[in-house]
């Protein structure tokens, strides 16, 4: 029965629940205003209906003479029971009926997240009912008091109209104050709900804040009745004074009017003040809550609710304060972490800015997450433009080693776990049409591969130089080779034919021409070899070789030159103990030839050159020792660099070209071996090169 | 003195052309000479037994000459020995792939060795 409902008052209680407590899936959509309006309609219509019937009753009792006071009182009572209360209930029920599903929904979810606003709705639907109970209590008290007057016969001689007027006045006052308190309450509540919602929006921690709705206890209901006692007494006193005046001054009309008017004013004022007090009693804590949520919504994290009430509002205050404490605590932690992060960020930013290489961080979809200034310059793009975009939008590929059409393919290739390439050279075109050679290094990743780090270097200049150098050397070599070929070919054709017709001097001259052309040929050949190796234009073909065979063959070939200078070449070898090597035979022979020729060249006449082999776990070593002039210690480190020649006066003829040893070093390095020299001025030099026993193709570039 | 074989020598360097022609003729070969690639292709139609081909040539370079020769039914069976001073691996590989019998670096060879190679190729060695 709804009258039972009307006496139930409810109040809000909320608390912060544990995170693991399940949040309701259903989010009821409830319009707060529907409830407020329905409730107000019910109140107003009830009052008017009651007033209407009461007026009819007054007119009837005024016109029917001889109607006893007891009969009138009974009519009042009937009026109350049959008209006011049923009308109120009926109207409330009818007007709230469309909202029933919503109420049901609310009842199903006693614990609903604050953001669903249910607590607000709940309180709004229950508070007016509470007000109805007030009306009921007032009416009841009034009836008891009035009835007691009638029964004691104090006002038997007066016209019923008197107390009808008084009673009507009281009723109007009550209705006004009730409406006012409802309006006050509703407005405050809806503002609170909005700001609380805002709070949740700003601080996700508050999402678990839930509302528990609790009913009024019996003691609270009694105390709310107690509040009404002075009101009831006042009503009784009003009736008494009116009756008194009419009893003892029946002819003094002006006094009667004054009494009625002043009582009307006093009663209205009193009721108004009473209503305000009651309203204040309920809305004051809400105002605190409102102020609090306003402050929080405005960012004041130090806001706390200072509220002392004896109802459940204090729980809201406590839990809100606790919530604020925990938010403040986590905020402090966040602030500290944020400061540290900020510092790190600044430091990282400075580092990234300072690096001349471009650095780009990409997510697994190859979208740019970070791009430093150098990379922005390289790709001709600003950080804002590039953020979360694919680099393909900004650059096109002109050339890539894997024929990739877009740069993200190249990057994906680099980042693939099984990819051997960690670096790739590309020719790209930027949006403004600039072509650039880039060297992109990939493979770095962070955050569980969520971020792939690339370093990018603009190698356009060095590439251009390289191309120019290559073109130049190719052209120069060819242009030089042609006349040398003519020279060389003609001499070698001519010499056997004329050797019988020339004298010794002429013969020597012919030999010198031949020797010079030979030197020129060697020089050009070596320069070309060096360039080819440096440009990766040559690939050695490792074949199984026996180093001993190569050495013996070279000695055989060089023996005539050695003999010319009475130099003995001593090679003590034991080819049983030496494993077979994987190496390019022509290249290695060139190294041996070079080193032995040098040894012959720099040895005094009638001296000995010793060649020997050595072996350890990794390499086979070949050493060529001469008893020549030696090389000063300060020159040793530069010996294998390009175009370096030992500055010495002792050698006046057939000086080295400065490329032989460099070529040797290149060849040996390409084979994964080592080359070194020991020398003492005046004693001689030992050149040693070692070749790895297990030579794999991978070891050369 | 003729041994009945005709050789086409495509070489733009006049001195070398003269010398190679001289040594080959001494050996009894009939030698046609061309100083550019286009002339080389033209003369190849006259069925030489062997072609000595330079790479760096005016008008049409040696590689293109080789392509033309190997692409034509009339000339594709004529053995070609490339004589060049271009030593890059890539060029050498390309020439061999196109069907050159041998790739000789002129600088590293004496005229008499060229004669030996020619003799050997024509089965006269």
């Amino acid at each position: 029965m709804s009258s039972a409902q009307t006496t139930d008052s409810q109040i809000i209680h909320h608390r912060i629940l544990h995170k693991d407590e399940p949040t309701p899936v259903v989010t009821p959509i409830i319009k707060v205003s529907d409830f407020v309006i329905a409730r107000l309609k019910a109140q107003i219509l009830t009052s008017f209906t009651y007033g209407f019937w009461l007026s009819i009753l007054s007119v009837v009792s005024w016109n029917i003479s001889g109607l006893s006071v007891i009969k009138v009182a009974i009519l009042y009572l009937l009026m109350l029971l049959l008209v006011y209360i049923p009308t109120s209930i009926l109207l409330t029920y009818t007007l709230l009926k469309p909202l029933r599903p919503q109420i049901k929904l609310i009842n199903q979810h006693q614990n609903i997240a604050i953001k669903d606003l249910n607590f607000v709705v709940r309180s709004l639907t229950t508070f007016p009912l509470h007000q109805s109970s007030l009306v009921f209590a007032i009416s009841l008290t009034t009836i008891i008091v009035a009835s007691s007057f009638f029964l004691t016969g104090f006002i038997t001689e007066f016209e019923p109209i008197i107390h009808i007027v008084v009673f009507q006045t009281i009723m109007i006052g009550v209705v006004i104050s009730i409406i006012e308190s409802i309006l006050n309450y509703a407005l405050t509540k809806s503002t609170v709900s909005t700001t609380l919602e805002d709070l949740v929006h700003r601080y996700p921690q508050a999402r678990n804040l839930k509302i528990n709705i609790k009913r009024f206890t019996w003691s609270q209901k009694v105390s709310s009745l107690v509040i009404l006692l002075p009101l009831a007494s006042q009503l009784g006193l009003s009736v008494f004074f009116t009756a008194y005046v009419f009893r003892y001054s029946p002819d003094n009309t002006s006094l009667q009017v004054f009494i009625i008017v002043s009582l009307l004013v006093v009663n209205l004022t009193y009721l108004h003040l009473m209503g305000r007090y009651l309203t204040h009693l309920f809305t004051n804590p809400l105002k605190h809550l409102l102020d609090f949520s306003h402050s929080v919504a405005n960012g004041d994290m130090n806001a706390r609710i200072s509220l002392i009430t004896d109802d459940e509002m204090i729980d809201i205050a406590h839990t809100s304060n606790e919530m604020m404490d925990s938010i403040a605590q986590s905020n402090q932690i966040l602030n500290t972490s944020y400061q540290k992060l900020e510092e790190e960020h600044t430091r990282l930013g400075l580092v990234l800015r300072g690096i001349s290489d471009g650095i780009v961080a990409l997510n697994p979809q190859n979208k740019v997450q970070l791009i430093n200034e150098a990379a922005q310059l390289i790709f001709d793009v600003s950080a804002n433009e590039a953020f979360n975009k694919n680099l393909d939008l900004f650059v096109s590929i002109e050339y890539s080693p894997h024929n990739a059409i877009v740069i993200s393919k190249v990057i994906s290739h680099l980042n693939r776990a099984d990819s051997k390439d960690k670096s790739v050279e590309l020719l790209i075109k930027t949006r403004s049409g600039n072509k650039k050679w880039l060297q992109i290094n990939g493979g770095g990743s962070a955050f569980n591969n969520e971020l792939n780090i690339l370093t990018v270097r603009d190698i356009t200049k060095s590439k251009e130089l390289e191309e120019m150098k290559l073109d130049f050397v190719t052209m120069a070599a060819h242009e030089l080779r042609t006349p040398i070929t003519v020279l060389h070919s003609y001499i070698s054709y001519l010499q056997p034919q004329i050797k019988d017709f020339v004298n010794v001097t002429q013969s020597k001259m012919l030999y010198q021409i031949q020797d010079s052309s030979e030197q020129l040929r060697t020089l050009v050949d070596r320069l070309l070899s060096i360039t080819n190796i440096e440009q990766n234009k040559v690939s050695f073909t490792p074949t199984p070789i026996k180093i001993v065979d190569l050495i013996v063959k070279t000695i055989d070939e060089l023996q005539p030159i050695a003999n010319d200078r009475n130099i003995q070449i001593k090679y003590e070898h034991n080819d049983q103990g030496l494993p077979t090597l994987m190496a390019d035979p022509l290249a290695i022979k060139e190294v041996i030839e070079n080193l032995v020729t040098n040894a012959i060249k720099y040895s005094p006449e009638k001296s000995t050159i010793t060649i020997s082999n050595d072996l350890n776990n990794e390499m086979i070593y070949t050493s060529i020792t001469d008893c020549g002039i030696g090389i000063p210690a300060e020159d040793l480190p530069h010996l294998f660099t390009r175009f370096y020649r030992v500055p010495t006066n002792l050698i006046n003829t057939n000086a080295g070209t400065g490329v032989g040893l460099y070529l040797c070093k290149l060849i040996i390095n390409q084979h994964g071996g080592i080359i070194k020299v020991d020398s003492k001025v005046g004693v001689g030099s030992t050149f040693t090169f070692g070749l790895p026993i297990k030579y794999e193709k991978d070891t050369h570039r | 003195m003729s041994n009945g074989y005709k050789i086409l020598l495509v070489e733009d360097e006049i001195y070398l052309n003269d010398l190679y022609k001289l040594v080959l003729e001494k050996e009894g070969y009939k030698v046609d000479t061309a100083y550019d690639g286009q002339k080389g292709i033209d003369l190849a139609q006259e069925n030489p037994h062997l072609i000595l081909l330079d790479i760096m040539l005016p008008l049409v370079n040696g590689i293109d000459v080789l392509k033309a020769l190997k692409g034509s039914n009339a000339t594709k069976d004529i053995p070609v020995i490339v004589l060049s001073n271009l030593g890059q691996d890539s060029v050498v590989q390309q020439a061999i792939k196109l069907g050159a019998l041998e790739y000789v670096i002129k600088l590293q060879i004496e005229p008499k060795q060229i004669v030996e190679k020619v003799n050997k190729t024509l089965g006269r060695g």
Side-chain angles (χ1 to χ4, degrees):
Chain A
M1 186 62 210
S2 53
S3 65
Q5 253 182 5
T6 52
T7 52
D8 281 330
S9 298
Q10 294 167 342
I11 203 158
I12 313 136
H13 171 75
H14 80 184
R15 62 197 170 94
I16 298 172
L17 295 178
H18 285 292
K19 271 193 176 172
D20 51 3
E21 206 157 313
T23 18
V25 185
V26 187
T27 309
I29 299 162
I30 287 149
K31 277 173 88 179
V32 177
S33 53
D34 289 353
F35 286 84
V36 180
I37 289 164
R39 201 8 96 171
L40 282 174
K41 275 182 191 166
Q43 289 289 340
I44 293 161
L45 284 173
T46 313
S47 302
F48 274 100
T49 318
Y50 177 67
F52 176 72
W53 285 110
L54 212 60
S55 308
I56 289 173
L57 182 69
S58 310
V59 174
V60 169
S61 52
W62 179 261
N63 288 320
I64 301 168
S65 52
L67 199 68
S68 76
V69 171
I70 297 168
K71 282 179 185 164
V72 174
I74 291 167
L75 275 173
Y76 274 143
L77 233 113
L78 284 173
M79 191 75 96
L80 259 176
L81 289 171
L82 297 176
V83 179
Y84 179 72
I85 296 171
T87 315
S88 171
I89 292 165
L90 190 73
L91 280 169
T92 307
Y93 178 79
T94 320
L95 290 164
L96 282 182
K97 203 183 169 191
L99 302 170
R100 281 218 160 262
Q102 295 188 23
I103 296 170
K104 212 175 148 193
L105 208 57
I106 295 165
N107 287 334
Q108 279 168 0
H109 300 281
Q110 283 291 321
N111 294 328
I112 288 177
I114 193 171
K115 60 177 176 169
D116 298 330
L117 294 180
N118 282 340
F119 88 103
V120 181
V121 175
R122 188 74 162 174
S123 57
L124 283 174
T125 50
T126 54
F127 191 76
L129 296 178
H130 175 59
Q131 290 286 343
S132 299
S133 77
L134 268 181
V135 175
F136 181 71
I138 291 165
S139 314
L140 209 65
T141 321
T142 317
I143 289 155
I144 294 162
V145 173
S147 309
S148 63
F149 283 134
F150 285 122
L151 291 172
T152 49
F154 264 118
I155 51 166
T156 45
E157 290 161 43
F158 301 126
E159 299 297 335
I161 188 72
I162 307 291
H163 54 258
I164 291 172
V165 169
V166 171
F167 199 77
Q168 287 276 41
T169 311
I170 293 166
M171 288 314 296
I172 290 166
V174 168
V175 169
I176 288 172
S177 38
I178 287 167
I179 291 171
E180 191 185 327
S181 51
I182 290 169
L183 281 173
N184 265 339
Y185 191 83
L187 287 174
T188 320
K189 270 288 179 158
S190 66
T191 325
V192 169
S193 73
T194 320
T195 46
L196 278 179
E197 198 184 18
D198 194 25
L199 176 78
V200 171
H201 181 68
R202 277 170 189 245
Y203 302 99
Q205 299 103 303
R207 193 156 292 155
N208 288 315
L209 196 71
K210 295 194 181 173
I211 305 303
N212 225 348
I213 298 158
K214 232 167 122 184
R215 285 161 192 272
F216 257 141
T217 57
W218 270 108
S219 64
Q220 281 167 324
K221 285 176 194 164
V222 170
S223 67
S224 72
L225 283 175
V226 169
I227 294 169
L228 294 170
L229 279 179
L231 180 67
S233 336
Q234 170 69 15
L235 291 170
L237 279 173
S238 311
V239 178
F240 174 77
F241 274 121
T242 318
Y244 187 84
V245 168
F246 277 76
R247 171 78 172 82
Y248 295 101
S249 310
D251 303 322
N252 194 343
T253 322
S254 58
L255 181 65
Q256 288 168 8
V257 171
F258 170 75
I259 283 294
I260 291 169
V261 171
S262 60
L263 279 178
L264 197 74
V265 171
V266 167
N267 271 323
L268 277 176
T269 315
Y270 179 78
L271 283 171
H272 179 75
L273 289 174
M274 204 61 206
R276 285 202 73 114
Y277 172 70
L278 284 171
T279 311
H280 175 79
L281 209 63
F282 283 95
T283 55
N284 191 41
L286 284 172
K287 274 197 184 120
H288 275 278
L289 195 58
L290 181 64
D291 289 345
F292 159 75
S293 44
H294 265 315
S295 310
V296 173
N298 288 331
D300 178 12
M301 296 313 290
N302 294 321
R304 296 290 184 276
I305 305 172
S306 54
L307 184 68
I308 301 163
T309 61
D310 49 0
D311 58 18
E312 282 83 349
M313 285 305 266
I314 197 78
D315 289 339
I316 295 183
H318 281 321
T319 46
S320 298
N321 285 344
E322 274 168 28
M323 180 188 84
M324 291 311 293
D325 285 344
S326 83
I327 289 177
Q329 208 175 353
S330 36
N331 261 8
Q332 201 183 349
I333 296 168
L334 274 176
N335 270 342
T336 322
S337 322
Y338 180 76
Q339 265 176 6
K340 278 184 189 160
L341 268 178
E342 187 91 313
E343 272 173 37
E344 276 305 306
H345 186 256
T346 317
R347 214 172 297 163
L348 187 67
L350 282 173
V351 171
L352 284 177
R353 213 169 307 148
I355 291 176
S356 60
D357 280 1
I359 290 178
V360 184
L362 301 165
N363 68 9
Q365 287 75 45
N366 281 332
K367 300 231 163 93
V368 175
Q369 302 302 301
L370 184 150
I371 179 164
N372 76 345
E373 284 175 14
Q376 290 170 35
L377 271 178
I378 290 173
F379 289 119
D380 201 2
V381 69
S382 77
N384 286 340
E385 285 174 308
F387 182 72
N388 226 4
K389 301 253 174 58
N390 205 309
L391 280 177
D392 298 341
L393 293 174
F394 309 107
V395 285
S396 58
I397 286 194
E398 295 281 308
Y399 166 80
S400 88
H402 304 287
N403 296 322
I405 312 157
V406 287
I407 196 162
S408 54
K409 288 265 179 219
V410 180
I411 294 164
S412 299
H413 173 76
L414 279 177
N415 287 333
R416 220 177 297 136
D418 59 342
S419 168
K420 274 186 184 170
D421 296 325
K422 289 295 165 212
S423 167
V424 75
E425 290 182 0
L426 295 176
L427 181 62
I428 59 139
K429 194 159 98 179
T430 64
R431 285 179 298 173
S432 50
N434 287 334
K435 287 187 182 175
K436 290 174 184 174
W437 272 101
L438 302 185
Q439 187 188 46
I440 300 183
N441 298 293
S445 68
F447 305 115
N448 287 332
N449 292 326
E450 283 301 300
L451 222 50
N452 293 311
I453 316 288
L454 299 176
T455 56
V456 187
R457 185 175 294 174
D458 190 342
I459 51 164
T460 312
K461 283 228 168 81
S462 62
K463 268 279 173 185
E464 279 169 359
L465 272 176
E466 213 173 280
E467 300 272 313
M468 276 170 60
K469 191 170 126 194
L470 180 70
D471 291 349
F472 172 77
V473 170
T474 311
M475 285 312 296
H478 189 261
E479 294 303 310
L480 279 171
R481 272 180 158 189
T482 307
I484 297 168
T485 309
V486 173
L487 204 60
H488 179 71
S489 302
Y490 272 85
I491 288 285
S492 53
Y493 176 72
L494 211 54
Q495 209 204 12
Q497 294 182 24
I498 58 170
K499 65 171 189 260
D500 297 334
F501 309 104
V502 294
N503 61 31
V504 179
T505 318
Q506 286 167 332
S507 173
K508 202 179 168 191
M509 284 176 173
L510 273 176
Y511 171 78
Q512 280 166 349
I513 295 173
Q514 194 178 16
D515 191 44
S516 295
S517 83
E518 189 67 32
Q519 274 185 40
L520 211 51
R521 190 180 71 117
T522 313
L523 174 64
V524 171
D525 267 3
R526 283 180 181 170
L527 276 175
L528 210 63
S529 295
I530 287 169
T531 316
N532 283 342
I533 294 172
E534 283 181 339
Q535 304 280 354
N536 279 329
K537 294 278 172 187
V538 72
S539 56
F540 293 116
T541 28
T543 40
I545 58 160
K546 284 195 178 295
I547 191 86
V548 176
D549 294 349
L550 281 181
I551 295 169
V552 170
K553 199 175 166 197
T554 312
I555 293 172
D556 284 350
E557 282 174 17
L558 295 175
Q559 201 64 56
I561 317 172
N563 289 345
D564 282 353
R565 307 193 60 212
N566 277 323
I567 289 167
Q568 193 196 349
I569 302 176
K570 224 164 77 182
Y571 180 35
E572 296 151 351
H573 63 275
N574 172 15
D575 59 356
Q576 308 296 325
L578 295 177
T580 306
L581 284 171
M582 289 299 288
D584 187 301
L586 284 178
I588 300 302
K589 187 164 172 286
E590 170 137 30
V591 173
I592 301 167
E593 221 173 77
N594 213 311
L595 294 177
V596 176
T597 311
N598 275 350
I600 295 171
K601 207 187 283 177
Y602 294 113
S603 287
E605 291 204 9
K606 293 175 189 167
S607 65
T608 305
I609 291 167
T610 315
I611 302 176
S612 62
N613 289 123
D614 205 354
L615 176 74
N616 70 9
N617 285 338
E618 290 163 8
M619 295 204 190
I620 296 177
Y621 298 93
T622 303
S623 299
I624 295 121
T625 307
D626 63 52
C627 307
I629 46 172
I631 303 152
E634 65 264 28
D635 291 319
L636 288 178
H638 312 293
L639 212 55
F640 293 104
T641 53
R642 187 156 39 164
F643 303 126
Y644 186 82
R645 290 173 60 189
V646 179
T648 169
N649 297 326
L650 288 172
I651 307 147
N652 44 22
T653 57
N654 291 340
T657 51
V659 291
L661 287 175
Y662 179 64
L663 180 62
C664 289
K665 185 180 148 86
L666 278 181
I667 291 171
I668 296 298
N669 283 353
Q670 290 281 302
H671 282 79
I674 54 152
I675 187 161
K676 59 182 182 182
V677 58
D678 286 317
S679 187
K680 258 188 189 163
V681 175
V683 178
S685 311
T686 301
F687 285 83
T688 305
F689 69 89
L691 288 170
I693 295 164
K694 280 184 183 169
Y695 171 68
E696 280 169 23
K697 209 166 176 188
D698 282 358
T699 51
H700 84 263
R701 285 178 291 175
Chain B
M1 253 307 260
S2 170
N3 58 25
Y5 286 102
K6 183 166 77 177
I7 292 170
L8 171 59
L9 174 63
V10 190
E11 168 64 70
D12 64 324
E13 165 55 50
I14 299 165
Y15 294 158
L16 280 183
N17 197 315
D18 287 353
L19 183 64
Y20 293 158
K21 189 177 189 233
L22 182 74
V23 293
L24 287 169
E25 279 177 349
K26 267 201 155 178
E27 197 65 18
Y29 292 103
K30 183 179 184 311
V31 180
D32 284 348
T33 53
Y35 294 93
D36 63 64
Q38 189 52 55
K39 192 77 196 294
I41 296 172
D42 293 347
L43 287 177
Q45 311 307 317
E46 293 170 13
N47 299 319
H49 294 93
L50 181 89
I51 299 171
L52 294 174
L53 179 66
D54 193 8
I55 294 294
M56 298 281 268
L57 287 169
L59 301 181
V60 182
N61 72 43
I63 292 293
D64 289 340
V65 172
L66 201 54
K67 278 181 192 161
L69 294 179
K70 294 298 169 186
S72 151
N73 275 335
T75 52
K76 71 174 163 50
D77 294 325
I78 307 170
V80 177
I81 294 175
V82 174
L83 283 178
S84 173
N85 273 333
L86 270 185
Q88 277 99 329
D89 251 20
S90 56
V91 181
V92 177
Q93 296 306 327
Q94 199 184 0
I96 297 296
K97 214 180 246 176
L98 284 171
L101 199 65
E102 205 174 339
Y103 194 109
V104 178
I105 307 284
K106 285 185 277 189
L107 191 49
Q108 292 164 356
I109 199 165
E110 289 177 15
K112 64 174 185 206
Q113 288 170 291
I114 294 177
V115 174
E116 282 163 17
K117 278 186 193 297
V118 170
N119 287 342
K120 203 174 143 198
T121 309
L122 293 175
R124 297 184 64 251

